[in-house]
Amino acid sequence: MPAPLLVPALLGVAFLVLPLLGLLVRAPWSDLGPQLARPGVGEALRLSLVSATLATVVSLLLGVPLAWVLARSQLRGRSVLRALVTVPLVLPPVVGGVALFLVLGRQGIIGRWLFEATGLSLPFTTAAVVVAETFVAMPFLVISVEGALRAADARFEDAAATLGADRWTTFRRVTLPLVAPGIAAGAVLCWARALGEFGATITFAGNFPGTTQTMPLAVYLTLQRDPEAAIVLSLVLLGVSLATLLLLRDRWLGRGAVT
Amino acid sequence: MSLVAHVVVRRGTLALDVELAVADGEVLTVLGPNGAGKSTVLRVLAGLLRPDGGRVEVDDEVWNSPDAHLPAHERSLGMVFQDHLLFPHLSVTENVAFGPRTRGTSRPAARAAAEDWLARVGLAGLGDRRPGQLSGGQAQRAALARALVGRPQLLLLDEPLSALDARTRLTVRAELHRHLGDYPGSAVLVTHDPVDAMALADRVVVIEEGRVVQAGTPAEVARRPRTDYVARLVGLVLLAGQGAGTQVALDGGGTVAVAEDVGGPVFVAVRPESVALYLQRPVGSPRNVWPLRLAAATPHGSVVRCDLAGEVPLTADVTATSFAELGLAPGAEVWASVKASELTVYPR
Amino acid sequence: MRQLVAGALLLALAGCGVDDGGRATETDGEVSGTLTVFAAASLTDVFTDLGDQLTAEHPGLDVQFNFAGSSALATQVVQGAPADVLASADEEQLDAVADLVAGDPAVFAENTLLIAVPAGNPADVRGLADLADPGKSIALCAAEVPCGAAAARVFDAAGLTPAPDTLEQDVRAALTKVQLGEVDAALVYATDVAAAGSAVEAIEVPEAADVVNRYPLAVLAAARNPAAAELFVDLVRSDTGRQALADAGFRLP
């Protein structure tokens, strides 16, 4: 391997991994048991996993069709649409949270109407956590799936059309299976981003144990008072997400990559 | 006439305006250089591309007209692509059964039809494989089965043999010829390979720069090419001139003596193997003798193809032995002669 | 206006100089370079104004602020951040860096809690008891941050169990939700209500009178510009500084 590639690559690995090692070194291992047994830790972890998974499901349901429109349709203003879709990527998540308030909050453009009609208000509920995480994480899925769609040979879709398949059938039976690995990779990215989401969640959904306090929120607030406990919580989040991703890789990404 | 089409497409530098007619059971080959628009014709016939004008009718059903466009999936057609385009995530049988399934056939019936067709193309027992586990020839056979299983009114083949190696190509071409013979509908095959065109076509249409430049049976096209491109494809040198008596005054200068009386604009087709080369001006009867210069020499099987430059540009095929005896090198001055009786002359 | 302020500043500085045995006058005219002030986020507006006054008086001086939560500031100082002055919103947080402080830190301002409600008080919040009503949408600070700890002491003293819908990571986040009308009320600092303008109304909380956040101010032992640091500390303690703090809603010790 040439040194001009190898050296920066090693530096890159060090840069990404050393902070992780820092967490591991500084973790109060002897204190691990009692820290984990503290009330609220399991609750926050469960809430994180459930809400990140729901956010990923919502992102798949909305994001895959959106990626298809961006990659395949002849729609005018597609590039503008693509730029708009990626806005949450560059928006500070806290601003994203405020923006969600302005639309879906009790006083928001849509939320006000909902609140007046039904008395339901989205902020400070678990649903709001899912909404905030979806807002921030879905662009990762859309970008990733759009890339997979562009890379996929569109002539397979032509072939399907000559075999009598309309566009919907073609999408279901040809396009979707062809880009399945890309969708899986996008979903993993989306899930990971949702799991780590902090700014939009704490702004739009607030922070209340059991309802809206996900692990990142718990970590942040614990850090204010007890940095060592915060490290423990971070490691739990890290461990669970790594385990999940490795498991999925074997079961799901691995199989998709064969074709 | 089963397929009657007038295809008009304007895309960038391409201005395509082509008329085609193919009878039931007939195979029409569209021959042309890259970029001539032949694949575009096929995409329009398939309904994958909406033309800018013209009309496509199959069995008196309008597929395209200025105000109608039947989408591809509603057309009764089968299409074979250059690199087979079998769906990689489906088994071979599922690929072949795909068309019948989307058109409403029950799963068992579609599977049975697929297996029947796989047997007919010689792939019995390979149906459970993935396309990636097939050889190039097997994949193209499977693609043919996939195109034919629905008994389409129109069969389109886009360079079906060009992705195959030479040996496989020979066998698949022979099988394709047999299946096309059995096929009752209209077939249109696009290729840039004259051998495919000659071997598989009932009729040939040559397209250059978006226009039909020649149409006819393979034998007609091979014997009397009308453009340099076609002439080169069939291994002839084409000279254009004005006939008067047994003399043809070439447009590029010089004259050619021919064996019959001709008048008006004509083509003279020269077979390279009929051109003889000498280091000295030959003595005796030949009336067609020109001093030329060897521009290039390339081995071609057992002969050496010599491109000659001069007043009458020619190509001569000489045996490797003769070539060696003449001791020719590019740039050498030679005399070329050809007998008038060896030339084919026909009106332009 | 600028000149008036500068004049007042000059007077104040002169006063300080006399009080402190002439230390400020000695350094006056010499101070230059960069002064780095780490201050609690609630001091943002007051300190920015005071910093402007100082640089107007000493053109050679560049005042840099780092406004953040008091615990974050303490962490940064412990990690070696190059601060000259540290103004914390919490005496405990300053205790954490006691070894790094030059001299005795002194309390220069106090902050108390108020109920902030959206303009017009749509949920008709009247007092602390309404914050224990599950039917109302309430934001409090999380117990981990100083305003949350203070709120807990207020509720303890009042014998009430609060019914929050969200426990915010800092007081500004709680106030934002009031400003947007997404909560009916939040328990926040008086200074934050003063800074929030007309979108927020304040309701006094008598039960909170004894729960006071005290703001200590100290020059750090590792200060790179101790002269300027002293100058800034003196300015904060001057009449000008006290007036600015009072205007921002602080109580003065």
Side-chain angles (χ1 to χ4, degrees):
Chain A
M1 253 186 291
L5 292 180
L6 193 60
V7 171
L10 288 176
L11 283 175
V13 169
F15 178 69
L16 294 175
V17 171
L18 284 179
L20 194 62
L21 287 179
L23 281 182
L24 290 173
V25 168
R26 288 294 301 274
W29 293 107
S30 56
D31 205 20
L32 209 56
Q35 290 286 9
L36 289 180
R38 270 180 31 199
V41 171
E43 211 169 33
L45 186 61
R46 183 192 57 81
L47 188 67
S48 278
L49 294 175
V50 167
S51 57
T53 304
L54 286 174
T56 305
V57 169
V58 175
S59 295
L60 281 169
L61 291 176
L62 305 180
V64 173
L66 177 55
W68 184 88
V69 168
L70 289 176
R72 286 283 191 274
S73 78
Q74 305 295 322
L75 207 68
R76 269 163 209 258
R78 232 171 6 150
S79 51
V80 175
L81 191 64
R82 183 179 302 112
L84 287 177
V85 165
T86 51
V87 160
L89 289 179
V90 293
L91 204 65
V94 177
V95 178
V98 172
L100 285 173
F101 265 137
L102 297 179
V103 174
L104 297 173
R106 204 168 64 164
Q107 301 291 319
I109 300 163
I110 297 171
R112 182 201 314 252
W113 169 83
L114 183 75
F115 184 61
E116 280 165 7
T118 64
L120 291 175
S121 148
L122 193 54
F124 317 123
T125 63
T126 305
V129 177
V130 175
V131 168
E133 290 181 351
T134 305
F135 179 78
V136 172
M138 189 162 75
F140 287 87
L141 180 100
V142 173
I143 299 278
S144 158
V145 174
E146 195 206 340
L149 281 168
R150 288 182 174 281
D153 193 339
R155 294 179 310 145
F156 283 114
E157 295 167 16
D158 287 347
T162 67
L163 294 168
D166 59 28
R167 292 193 97 176
W168 172 234
T169 308
T170 302
F171 177 75
R172 276 189 306 119
R173 295 203 48 205
V174 176
T175 314
L176 218 48
L178 280 178
V179 299
I183 293 177
V188 164
L189 206 60
C190 173
W191 185 79
R193 178 67 187 87
L195 195 68
E197 217 300 305
F198 172 76
T201 306
I202 200 163
T203 307
F204 181 60
N207 167 59
F208 198 81
T211 316
T212 60
Q213 189 182 73
T214 56
M215 282 299 271
L217 273 57
V219 169
Y220 179 84
L221 287 164
T222 309
L223 200 57
Q224 306 291 309
R225 197 174 50 190
D226 188 352
E228 291 204 333
I231 290 175
V232 172
L233 291 183
S234 308
L235 287 177
V236 170
L237 185 61
L238 202 71
V240 169
S241 48
L242 277 181
T244 309
L245 293 179
L246 287 175
L247 204 72
L248 284 180
R249 195 173 186 78
D250 287 349
R251 287 223 168 167
W252 187 29
L253 288 177
R255 199 179 53 191
V258 169
T259 51
Chain B
M1 278 291 174
S2 174
L3 168 70
V4 180
H6 177 205
V7 176
V8 179
V9 177
R10 285 176 290 272
R11 285 289 138 81
T13 56
L14 177 69
L16 187 69
D17 191 331
V18 167
E19 292 191 49
L20 304 171
V22 190
D24 275 340
E26 190 182 28
V27 179
L28 176 76
T29 293
V30 179
L31 191 62
N34 285 334
K38 45 190 200 307
S39 286
T40 306
V41 171
L42 223 53
R43 288 180 62 78
V44 169
L45 296 181
L48 297 171
L49 178 68
R50 194 171 181 153
D52 297 309
R55 198 173 175 82
V56 177
E57 279 184 36
V58 173
D59 294 340
D60 298 326
E61 191 186 346
V62 178
W63 284 9
N64 269 109
S65 71
D67 43 27
H69 172 78
L70 193 68
H73 66 269
E74 291 176 20
R75 301 185 177 198
S76 168
L77 63 86
M79 189 157 176
V80 178
F81 300 86
Q82 179 175 344
D83 40 1
H84 68 72
L85 292 184
L86 294 172
F87 304 128
H89 59 285
L90 299 180
S91 72
V92 172
T93 301
E94 287 166 337
N95 261 282
V96 178
F98 187 94
R101 285 293 291 142
T102 61
R103 293 190 166 105
T105 308
S106 73
R107 191 182 297 271
R111 203 175 166 81
E115 277 164 4
D116 174 40
W117 265 98
L118 285 174
R120 285 166 77 166
V121 299
L123 295 180
L126 300 183
D128 290 336
R129 293 201 184 173
R130 297 270 161 164
Q133 297 169 299
L134 297 183
S135 70
Q138 289 170 334
Q140 207 52 287
R141 288 186 189 101
L144 182 67
R146 185 174 72 168
L148 286 173
V149 66
R151 307 192 174 282
Q153 290 166 277
L154 180 64
L155 178 65
L156 304 172
L157 304 110
D158 188 0
E159 305 270 8
L161 303 173
S162 63
L164 304 177
D165 63 73
R167 185 188 295 264
T168 315
R169 198 167 180 163
L170 214 59
T171 52
V172 176
R173 183 187 294 132
E175 291 172 21
L176 184 57
H177 187 243
R178 185 164 55 80
H179 288 295
L180 287 174
D182 294 342
Y183 172 64
S186 312
V188 179
L189 182 149
V190 153
T191 182
H192 66 273
D193 182 341
V195 181
D196 290 348
M198 301 305 154
L200 297 172
D202 295 316
R203 279 193 308 119
V204 175
V205 162
V206 183
I207 297 182
E208 284 179 49
E209 293 179 347
R211 307 278 156 166
V212 174
V213 293
Q214 188 163 7
T217 65
E220 279 164 11
V221 171
R223 207 169 56 236
R224 299 186 157 193
R226 306 194 69 82
T227 68
D228 282 334
Y229 164 73
V230 183
R232 254 197 322 280
L233 280 186
V234 298
L236 298 178
V237 172
L238 196 61
L239 302 169
Q242 295 288 330
T246 56
Q247 292 285 326
V248 176
L250 298 178
D251 294 351
T255 59
V256 178
V258 293
E260 54 196 296
D261 277 346
V262 288
V266 293
F267 282 122
V268 179
V270 188
R271 286 183 296 115
E273 62 269 30
S274 69
V275 179
L277 299 185
Y278 306 91
L279 292 176
Q280 309 291 327
R281 184 184 175 109
V283 290
S285 61
R287 285 186 289 157
N288 292 323
V289 178
W290 302 283
L292 299 173
R293 190 170 41 76
L294 183 65
T298 43
H300 228 260
S302 63
V303 300
V304 177
R305 174 152 292 182
C306 302
D307 289 319
L308 305 167
E311 190 175 34
V312 179
L314 286 175
T315 299
D317 281 353
V318 297
T319 63
T321 320
S322 311
F323 188 80
E325 282 169 7
L326 287 166
L328 292 178
E333 303 291 337
V334 294
W335 291 86
S337 97
V338 60
K339 288 178 185 164
S341 58
E342 298 275 2
L343 300 171
T344 312
V345 192
Y346 45 96
R348 266 201 268 173
Chain C
M1 181 64 201
R2 194 89 189 162
Q3 277 170 348
L4 257 179
V5 169
L9 181 67
L10 205 65
L11 282 174
L13 286 174
C16 284
V18 172
D19 286 350
D20 287 353
R23 190 178 58 192
T25 40
E26 269 171 31
T27 54
D28 195 2
E30 296 173 29
V31 289
S32 62
T34 301
L35 169 66
T36 305
V37 178
F38 278 29
S42 49
L43 293 165
T44 304
D45 294 339
V46 177
F47 271 27
T48 305
D49 282 349
L50 291 176
D52 287 346
Q53 291 181 24
L54 204 61
T55 44
E57 187 58 28
H58 302 277
L61 187 64
D62 179 23
V63 183
Q64 296 288 337
F65 286 106
N66 172 27
F67 295 111
S70 296
S71 56
L73 291 175
T75 307
Q76 289 167 12
V77 167
V78 169
Q79 297 288 339
D84 296 307
V85 176
L86 174 62
S88 178
D90 186 339
E91 285 178 296
E92 274 182 43
Q93 293 295 347
L94 203 76
D95 288 347
V97 296
D99 298 346
L100 305 169
V101 164
D104 274 340
V107 172
F108 68 98
E110 292 174 351
N111 213 346
T112 53
L113 291 170
L114 288 178
I115 296 172
V117 297
N121 193 3
D124 192 27
V125 173
R126 287 152 191 267
L128 204 59
D130 287 309
L131 272 57
D133 175 0
K136 291 193 167 56
S137 184
I138 304 298
L140 296 177
C141 288
E144 287 85 349
V145 294
C147 64
R153 292 205 298 276
V154 171
F155 283 108
D156 269 355
L160 288 168
T161 305
D165 292 85
T166 175
L167 301 170
E168 295 296 313
Q169 82 270 29
D170 60 42
V171 67
R172 297 268 170 171
L175 198 65
T176 300
K177 291 182 171 61
V178 176
Q179 284 172 304
L180 290 169
E182 296 296 337
V183 294
D184 298 321
L187 199 59
V188 299
Y189 288 119
T191 53
D192 296 296
V193 178
S198 59
V200 174
E201 291 175 14
I203 295 166
E204 295 288 341
V205 182
E207 299 94 323
D210 296 332
V211 179
V212 175
N213 266 70
R214 294 146 66 82
Y215 284 54
L217 179 68
V219 175
L220 290 163
R224 297 176 185 184
N225 197 346
E230 290 295 345
L231 209 59
F232 184 80
V233 168
D234 291 341
L235 174 58
V236 171
R237 291 196 185 129
S238 70
D239 288 343
T240 312
R242 290 171 64 85
Q243 186 59 49
L245 287 164
D247 289 347
F250 286 99
R251 272 188 1 189
L252 299 171

